Amino acid sequence: MQRELRSVRPRHDDPELPDDITSQDLDRIARNELKTLSKDNAEAVGRHLAMAARVIDEDPELAHRHVLSAARRAGRIAVVRESLAITAYATGDFALALRELRTYRRISGSNDQLALMVDSERGVGRPDRALELGRSVERASLPASVQVALAIAMSGARLDLGETEAALSELEIPQLDPKTAFSYSAELFAAYAEVLGELGRDDEAELWNERAERADAAVSGVTDFDETMEILEIDEDESDEEESDEEESDDTDTDTDDSTDDDDATDVSDEESADDADDSIDEAEHDAQASPRA
């Protein structure tokens, strides 16, 4: 008896796109990657990616469906596979996220999502493999923001293993500088505070939590990505002495220039291969339908 042929690709209905969203909502780097596609296809893929970015925080499941739609049209584009991994991670499907991150790294040659790979290994219950993966790349070859994200992920893996002191050591990197604030500083300071709390060093933990809040306030809505500003750590006694000295100086020399080297500082007061792409997308769609998280 002749058997009916059925498609092995699971059915996927594209989620609706609002009229106001376009591929121009993507950043320039992502738009450049889509230029290898036809104009119409690039626009469709771009709109789904842009919509995913818009809704991922409040509805990661919907964001994942949008990226699946993009992946069906452009599975060999690195940013698409990266986005698929990110939305899978956001929905808690760490196995799918890990597989897609491996594909992204093979296509792009980039290690910029290494920290997310480490965290995904943790998510599937393999902290030892997470640590091994994190040590497989020379830290100095990574951008500073990636180094910080990797340190936080590695620290988390150490905590998974009950190695609290080692978790603290993973965070003691050059970027752990309370006198400067980058876009990644608040998260690093907060992670350091959390581990200090695990060690029972509550006073230090409180101090670093305060520093995290000040770093966040210093850069939030003010600076571009990775721009830095100085955070001044001021001792109260020293501050009083300086004020007294300034008053004496004003009495003896009213023509003294009042400008200092700290005028520009922000004072916060203690402050897979491409050939495998289609098969991988099919697996991703299958996993997304089978997983209770996706």
Side-chain angles (χ1 to χ4, degrees):
M1 178 182 297
Q2 185 175 3
R3 302 176 66 179
E4 181 182 356
L5 295 178
R6 296 182 180 178
S7 173
V8 297
R9 173 174 287 190
R11 177 181 175 83
H12 173 77
D13 295 323
D14 292 339
E16 293 184 6
L17 286 163
D19 293 337
D20 68 325
I21 197 147
T22 74
S23 63
Q24 294 302 307
D25 295 321
L26 294 175
D27 62 46
R28 178 180 54 82
I29 296 175
R31 294 199 308 271
N32 284 342
E33 286 194 44
L34 300 183
K35 287 182 179 180
T36 59
L37 304 173
S38 69
K39 182 178 180 179
D40 289 345
N41 196 28
E43 179 63 20
V45 171
R47 293 183 72 200
H48 280 293
L49 293 181
M51 187 61 184
R54 178 185 291 185
V55 304
I56 189 169
D57 290 334
E58 62 267 21
D59 195 343
E61 300 283 352
L62 177 58
H64 188 62
R65 289 175 57 208
H66 277 288
V67 181
L68 278 174
S69 294
R72 288 172 66 89
R73 294 171 171 84
R76 290 177 172 83
I77 304 298
V79 68
V80 175
R81 305 311 285 264
E82 180 184 29
S83 300
L84 188 55
I86 291 170
T87 58
Y89 180 90
T91 64
D93 194 339
F94 303 114
L96 176 57
L98 187 58
R99 185 163 67 244
E100 290 302 317
L101 287 167
R102 289 170 178 160
T103 302
Y104 163 71
R105 187 161 70 163
R106 285 202 299 269
I107 294 174
S108 68
S110 171
N111 285 308
D112 285 357
Q113 291 293 354
L114 183 61
L116 199 62
M117 295 181 73
V118 170
D119 242 6
S120 296
E121 286 284 10
R122 293 180 59 209
V124 296
R126 300 192 295 244
D128 286 320
R129 289 186 62 175
L131 292 172
E132 182 180 353
L133 176 61
R135 292 190 295 262
S136 68
V137 176
E138 177 61 41
R139 296 283 183 95
S141 68
L142 302 171
S145 59
V146 179
Q147 292 183 40
V148 170
L150 180 58
I152 294 172
M154 295 286 279
S155 179
R158 293 289 190 185
L159 289 176
D160 293 342
L161 295 168
E163 302 172 358
T164 314
E165 289 286 355
L168 192 69
S169 296
E170 292 284 358
L171 298 171
E172 291 172 341
I173 58 179
Q175 292 83 3
L176 190 72
D177 182 356
K179 294 183 179 180
T180 55
F182 291 83
S183 56
Y184 47 71
S185 297
E187 186 177 6
L188 177 60
F189 296 172
Y192 197 64
E194 181 181 355
V195 181
L196 286 168
E198 292 286 336
L199 290 167
R201 295 160 60 175
D202 296 335
D203 290 343
E204 293 174 83
E206 183 178 355
L207 175 60
W208 281 96
N209 273 323
E210 291 174 357
R211 288 169 172 167
E213 292 175 3
R214 290 183 170 87
D216 183 58
V219 300
S220 180
V222 177
T223 62
D224 293 329
F225 185 74
D226 280 352
E227 186 178 342
T228 181
M229 57 173 60
E230 186 175 357
I231 298 178
L232 301 181
E233 295 274 341
I234 301 176
D235 181 84
E236 292 182 359
D237 293 334
E238 291 179 358
S239 179
D240 292 340
E241 291 176 2
E242 289 175 0
E243 290 178 1
S244 177
D245 290 342
E246 287 175 0
E247 291 175 359
E248 292 178 4
S249 176
D250 289 340
D251 291 338
T252 58
D253 185 2
T254 58
D255 294 331
T256 301
D257 187 356
D258 293 330
S259 64
T260 70
D261 293 336
D262 295 328
D263 286 344
D264 294 331
T266 298
D267 183 356
V268 294
S269 187
D270 187 30
E271 311 209 289
E272 294 84 284
S273 68
D275 294 335
D276 300 331
D278 290 337
D279 290 341
S280 182
I281 293 172
D282 291 341
E283 293 175 7
E285 293 172 349
H286 175 75
D287 289 352
Q289 291 190 356
S291 172
R293 296 191 183 98

